[in-house]
Amino acid sequence: MKPIFFVTKPIPDIGMNMLRAKGDVRISQTSGLPSDQEIAAAAADCCGLLITPADQITKTTLDQLPYLKAISTFSVGFNHIDIAECTRRGIGVGHTPDVLTAATAELAMALILAVARRVVEGDRLIRDRRWHGWAPTDFLGSPVTGKTLGIVGAGRIGGCVAKMAHGFDMPILYTARTAKPELERDFKAQRVELADLLQRADFVSIHAPLTDETRHMIGCPQLQMMRPTAFLINTSRGSLVDEAALVTALKDGIIAGCGLDVYEREPQLTPGLADFPNVVLLPHVGSATLETRGEMAVMAAENLLAAADGKRPPHCINPQIYS
Ligand code: NAP
């Protein structure tokens, strides 16, 4: 009998075709995001799930999926999956690291440039037909070149942002659980405590994963430590930032602005966030280039097919179940 795979959102054709070649593919019929109950009901007889970061896979969901052997997430982050529970049940979980690193780092740089040079504000001015011509004192922004960048979580993506920012002559501060000698050697990056980074950086860019430890790691006290001229950039996961505290900080001029690609309650927006001209908001598009999404599709399909076949996925989050 062919394996049945449940896909919550269709991925690029190259990946869908790989799955169709090996099994029956069922696609969620829910418009918008399927709830965990809808996933459980629609995938009850499936051996594999292909999900996105918007889908929550909890113990309750897993309880209703007795045939499940494989979960493949179309993302590098896996905070939306109860990994301990999957491991306990022998369900292999795969993700898509590396292929999205440069695309996501580019987007962090795009947000840095956009907030500093008021790119979106300028675009709106012109579209609204409010631009009356060049003037020496109009639209003054902050420079990026030579300004200090603080990278919170200097892994694959944070490291790539360091490399790009080095091209802008930006002194680099970083935090991570472990030292990164290659960043220190190649880009003169300096490892510091989070408080030190917040006090010294002109741009604070978040690249740590969402865990119990990192949830709300940027809240009111941390925002208070930032310079009033500094910008916060988040392309990691929304819940690393306490968005209510961020709105207050923006209202009170505690920081100069922010650029966000991710939100605490996607796709909902915390009230007030969209009211500031010095805030740039993107719809979680860090990895959204044609090439990157194609590579993610192949990787996600390979992970799902391997785990559904009882083999270790090439990019496995819980490899211990295969030893
Ligand atoms: P990664 O290589 O695992 O890097 C994560 C970094 O965070 C590591 O340097 C890690 O330290 C550090 N870290 C972990 N816990 C920390 C803590 N408590 N305090 C400070 N640093 C901590 O992951 P990645 O591939 O760069 O991806 C990072 C995140 O980006 C993902 O988890 C995902 O949520 C997000 N993402 C978003 C998009 C998007 O579309 N916006 C796209 C891709 C990824 P060590 O190196 O010492 O372990």
Side-chain angles (χ1 to χ4, degrees):
M1 221 172 65
K2 276 182 156 183
I4 309 173
F5 303 125
F6 184 71
V7 177
T8 60
K9 283 262 180 266
I11 61 172
D13 284 348
I14 188 166
M16 294 299 282
N17 292 339
M18 287 168 69
L19 299 182
R20 288 193 177 109
K22 298 280 180 182
D24 289 329
V25 178
R26 190 180 296 158
I27 300 171
S28 171
Q29 297 303 306
T30 312
S31 62
L33 303 173
S35 68
D36 45 357
Q37 285 316 305
E38 281 161 340
I39 294 173
D45 55 347
C46 294
C47 75
L49 283 185
L50 201 150
I51 61 169
T52 76
D55 305 313
Q56 300 296 321
I57 303 298
T58 61
K59 177 177 181 301
T60 316
T61 323
L62 294 170
D63 282 342
Q64 296 166 76
L65 301 171
Y67 304 105
L68 199 66
K69 287 164 70 178
I71 297 178
S72 173
T73 183
F74 194 74
S75 62
V76 64
F78 48 85
N79 51 283
H80 51 298
I81 307 168
D82 187 336
I83 299 295
E85 209 40 59
C86 289
T87 304
R88 202 174 65 72
R89 294 161 194 245
I91 298 168
V93 185
H95 68 151
T96 62
D98 301 317
V99 289
L100 43 57
T101 294
T104 310
E106 279 173 7
L107 200 82
M109 289 306 298
L111 284 170
I112 288 172
L113 292 163
V115 291
R117 300 304 308 274
R118 306 174 62 179
V119 170
V120 177
E121 263 185 275
D123 180 85
R124 277 196 209 113
L125 182 90
I126 293 195
R127 286 171 200 270
D128 293 349
R129 306 288 189 269
R130 289 184 285 113
W131 186 41
H132 305 299
W134 198 93
T137 54
D138 273 1
F139 258 79
L140 305 183
S142 311
V144 172
T145 302
K147 293 288 173 177
T148 299
L149 173 64
I151 296 176
V152 179
R156 288 172 291 243
I157 298 169
C160 190
V161 171
K163 182 179 170 188
M164 292 176 181
H166 188 63
F168 282 85
D169 291 333
M170 298 179 87
I172 290 154
L173 308 173
Y174 75 94
T175 65
R177 291 173 302 188
T178 53
K180 307 295 173 200
E182 67 290 355
L183 295 185
E184 296 177 16
R185 183 195 61 221
D186 297 345
F187 313 123
K188 298 187 177 61
Q190 194 189 339
R191 187 177 179 211
V192 294
E193 293 297 323
L194 179 61
D196 195 14
L197 180 150
L198 294 169
Q199 283 160 24
R200 290 167 61 191
D202 298 299
F203 298 90
V204 174
S205 191
I206 306 175
H207 302 286
L210 176 58
T211 62
D212 290 342
E213 202 186 329
T214 62
R215 189 177 299 277
H216 281 194
M217 77 189 295
I218 305 295
C220 183
Q222 291 74 26
L223 291 160
Q224 296 275 359
M225 286 179 206
M226 287 176 65
R227 297 173 172 206
T229 49
F231 295 90
L232 180 71
I233 307 297
N234 189 7
T235 58
S236 181
R237 286 288 179 265
S239 295
L240 275 87
V241 177
D242 177 346
E243 284 181 355
L246 177 60
V247 170
T248 305
L250 290 162
K251 223 178 254 167
D252 296 346
I254 302 292
I255 63 171
C258 71
L260 305 177
D261 184 43
V262 288
Y263 306 88
E264 270 195 273
R265 287 166 291 276
E266 294 180 14
Q268 284 159 35
L269 210 55
T270 292
L273 209 45
D275 299 344
F276 303 99
N278 50 341
V279 169
V280 174
L281 304 171
L282 293 175
H284 199 152
V285 289
S287 65
T289 71
L290 199 59
E291 287 85 346
T292 297
R293 290 283 165 88
E295 289 180 78
M296 288 170 69
V298 170
M299 196 178 266
E302 284 171 350
N303 284 337
L304 192 69
L305 293 173
D309 198 23
K311 301 187 181 108
R312 176 185 160 147
H315 296 89
C316 189
I317 293 162
N318 54 354
Q320 62 272 37
I321 69 171
Y322 298 99
S323 57

